[in-house]
Amino acid sequence: MSDDSIDWIARAGTRAKGKRPDFLGDPTSERMLSILLAVAGEVSVLKERLDTVERLLDAKGTISRADIESYNPDRDAAYERAVMTKEYIARIMRGVQQEMEAMQVQERPVADISADLKDN
């Protein structure tokens, strides 16, 4: 089956079977998270494609769409891309990571400290 015979728009719109995961307890927040993660995934793909274009231009000076589509990164390029993707995800998930780290440390909330300072 070739890619030409697949209706990607219809396929993207299909609904998964079963109940949607509920991580946040609020349907609006769940939709926003779903949208955000989809956009983050698309940006990640664009970053890799741009990396392909840049590498091909460096190597050849000129490129075609076929060059881009047939490009396979070598070991070093694949490693650099993996690091780039890991850093990108870390930046996106920074807030979540900080929240998780804060839950592991027994610190008084800033609001409580502020209230104590106002009372004294």
Side-chain angles (χ1 to χ4, degrees):
M1 177 186 283
S2 74
D3 281 353
D4 295 338
S5 64
I6 297 172
D7 183 350
W8 291 106
I9 294 173
R11 197 151 191 206
T14 59
R15 188 174 189 283
K17 294 180 182 176
K19 187 180 176 203
R20 290 187 58 88
D22 184 9
F23 300 109
L24 305 174
D26 173 37
T28 301
S29 296
E30 293 291 338
R31 281 190 298 276
M32 291 301 296
L33 177 62
S34 178
I35 291 167
L36 175 64
L37 292 176
V39 170
E42 293 296 325
V43 169
S44 184
V45 169
L46 285 171
K47 288 170 67 76
E48 281 199 5
R49 189 155 177 103
L50 178 58
D51 180 71
T52 296
V53 169
E54 290 171 347
R55 288 176 189 276
L56 287 170
L57 284 172
D58 283 347
K60 298 174 69 173
T62 183
I63 56 174
S64 68
R65 186 176 302 268
D67 292 333
I68 296 168
E69 297 300 331
S70 65
Y71 177 76
N72 285 313
D74 62 21
R75 184 181 200 133
D76 289 340
Y79 176 79
E80 289 173 12
R81 283 181 171 193
V83 169
M84 179 178 63
T85 300
K86 185 177 180 179
E87 290 170 348
Y88 172 65
I89 291 169
R91 287 190 305 273
I92 290 172
M93 300 304 290
R94 180 175 163 251
V96 174
Q97 180 67 33
Q98 289 174 343
E99 289 282 329
M100 291 175 60
E101 289 169 359
M103 288 189 291
Q104 295 172 353
V105 177
Q106 297 298 327
E107 294 179 346
R108 289 182 60 207
V110 173
D112 291 351
I113 295 169
S114 177
D116 287 348
L117 291 172
K118 286 181 184 177
D119 292 340
N120 293 328

